């Protein structure tokens, strides 16, 4: 089956969902640029990606590759240039309602939750399958290897963090207010924020060992520092912040956030001066001392 025909069918699935290609990429947990290249014919979809596309789109994999449902099991890597055979999804352990967002997103969300609780290397595929009330075969159908599952978990965390920040700061015009809000969002106050930070700490360690995760780490921090630098530049223009090197200030502030957050998570709960309020106060003091423009008399 020709690559462009597979791409055309995937486009139909995306159109039927009524969302943008970028949002669809987020739902199937792949890099938007990979989806774009596959749709344009410069990259081939993998079997696992087609499985996730079929799941999110509510269609049979055989339809995507141009085979009948019965023949889909016989379609080999050469048909869509993937390294493995495209197979029909394995049955779940017991019938259950379709999870919100589809099975792939459920798998990734549960993986992130388990990483936060136990650490990545303590999480087994069997644990993820049990959390999703499905089989290990179903997990491997969507994410054949542990590395691919880790990459998907990292990307999901990145996308969720970026989306949450954008929603929280939408409509904020005063740069000082926006920067303080960004700091608030990055302070591990709630249980959800602490869980997210535990995942990030585990992923930092993986980034030092994994080229793929390392690239995602670099990409995320480039975007995050860029967001902070843009707010600082706007604050300088508004007269809220004193004239500074926005990129350098963003680098220092984001590094300070990371360092303080890791200390908060590592400290004994309730120990005076080591909790989230102390971290937040230290960050605001840094902004006031290094960035905030003096009020003219």
């Amino acid at each position: 089956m020709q690559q462009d025909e597979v791409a055309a069918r995937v486009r139909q699935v995306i159109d039927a969902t009524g969302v943008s290609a970028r949002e669809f990429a987020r739902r199937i947990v792949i890099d938007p640029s990979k989806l774009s290249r596959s749709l344009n014919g410069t990259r081939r979809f993998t079997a696992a990606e087609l499985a996730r596309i079929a799941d999110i789109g509510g269609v049979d994999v055989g339809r995507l590759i141009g085979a009948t449902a019965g023949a889909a099991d016989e379609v080999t890597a050469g048909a869509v240039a993937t390294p493995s055979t495209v197979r029909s999804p394995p049955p779940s352990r017991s019938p259950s309602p379709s999870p919100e967002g589809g099975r792939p997103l459920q798998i990734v969300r549960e993986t992130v939750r388990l990483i936060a609780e136990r650490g990545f290397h303590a999480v087994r595929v069997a644990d993820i399958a049990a959390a999703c009330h499905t089989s290990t075969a179903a997990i491997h159908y969507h994410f054949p290897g542990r590395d691919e599952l880790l990459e998907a978990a990292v990307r999901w965390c990145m996308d969720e963090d970026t989306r949450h920040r954008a929603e929280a700061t939408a409509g904020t015009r005063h740069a000082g207010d926006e920067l303080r809000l960004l700091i608030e969002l990055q302070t591990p106050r709630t249980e959800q924020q602490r869980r997210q930070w535990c995942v990030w700490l585990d992923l930092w360690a993986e980034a030092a060992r994994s080229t793929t995760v390392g690239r995602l780490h670099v990409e995320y921090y480039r975007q995050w520092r860029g967001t902070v630098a843009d707010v600082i530049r706007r604050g300088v223009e508004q007269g809220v912040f004193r004239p500074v090197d926005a990129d350098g200030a963003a680098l220092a502030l984001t590094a300070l956030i990371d360092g303080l957050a890791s200390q908060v998570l590592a400290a004994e709960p309730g120990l005076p001066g080591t909790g989230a309020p102390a971290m937040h106060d230290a960050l605001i003091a840094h902004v006031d001392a290094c960035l905030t423009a003096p009020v003219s008399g």
Side-chain angles (χ1 to χ4, degrees), residues 215-280:
R215 284 197 299 266
L216 289 174
H217 182 270
V218 170
E219 175 188 337
Y220 171 78
Y221 269 89
R222 182 170 56 246
Q223 295 174 356
W224 168 224
R225 286 193 294 267
T227 297
V228 175
D230 287 344
V231 174
I232 293 174
R233 289 190 189 93
R234 185 154 22 93
V236 172
E237 294 173 358
Q238 293 175 353
V240 175
F241 301 139
R242 67 186 68 188
V244 294
D245 172 12
D247 292 325
L251 177 62
L253 181 57
T254 54
L256 183 58
I257 289 173
D258 289 344
L260 286 173
S262 63
Q263 291 182 45
V264 169
L265 294 171
E268 179 183 347
L271 193 65
T274 61
M279 168 185 165
H280 182 265

Side-chain angles (χ1 to χ4, degrees), residues 37-205:
R37 294 198 304 273
S38 296
L39 292 174
N40 292 331
T42 58
R43 175 186 178 274
R44 298 179 186 275
F45 287 104
T46 68
E49 288 167 357
L50 289 171
R52 300 202 291 273
I53 290 168
D55 187 280
I56 296 298
V59 301
D60 189 88
V61 172
R63 173 186 165 187
L64 290 179
I65 61 178
T68 62
D73 284 344
E74 304 301 323
V75 178
T76 60
V80 285
T82 57
S84 59
T85 301
V86 178
R87 299 187 181 279
S88 298
S92 300
R93 291 176 177 172
S94 60
S96 60
S98 178
E100 181 182 357
R103 181 68 72 189
L105 275 181
Q106 182 198 31
I107 292 170
V108 171
R109 285 194 294 262
E110 289 300 325
T111 299
V112 169
R113 181 181 66 80
L114 290 171
I115 290 174
E117 293 177 357
R118 308 178 189 181
F120 177 74
H121 290 288
V123 177
R124 303 172 304 160
V125 173
D127 299 327
I128 300 169
C132 295
H133 304 289
T134 190
S135 65
T136 56
I139 304 298
H140 287 305
Y141 173 73
H142 292 292
F143 302 97
R146 190 181 181 90
D147 288 345
E148 185 176 10
L149 185 53
L150 175 60
E151 180 181 352
V154 175
R155 183 162 294 284
W156 186 82
C157 287
M158 288 169 50
D159 289 345
E160 285 297 292
D161 191 51
T162 301
R163 183 175 63 85
H164 183 57
R165 269 202 317 265
E167 290 176 353
T169 58
T172 306
R173 294 291 177 263
H174 188 279
D177 291 342
E178 184 170 352
L179 186 59
R180 286 171 173 78
L181 180 55
L182 289 175
I183 291 173
E184 182 75 25
L185 294 172
Q186 294 299 112
T187 304
R189 291 176 179 271
T190 67
E191 187 59 34
Q192 173 60 30
Q193 287 172 322
R194 290 184 64 87
R195 183 160 50 244
Q196 179 180 344
W197 268 105
C198 285
V199 173
W200 281 124
L201 291 178
D202 218 45
L203 296 180
W204 285 346

Side-chain angles (χ1 to χ4, degrees), residues 2-23:
Q2 293 297 316
Q3 178 180 332
D4 56 348
E5 295 178 4
V6 175
R9 293 190 181 93
V10 173
R11 285 186 184 278
Q12 291 175 355
V13 171
I14 296 174
D15 291 343
T17 63
V19 301
S20 66
R22 175 170 288 275
E23 171 61 19

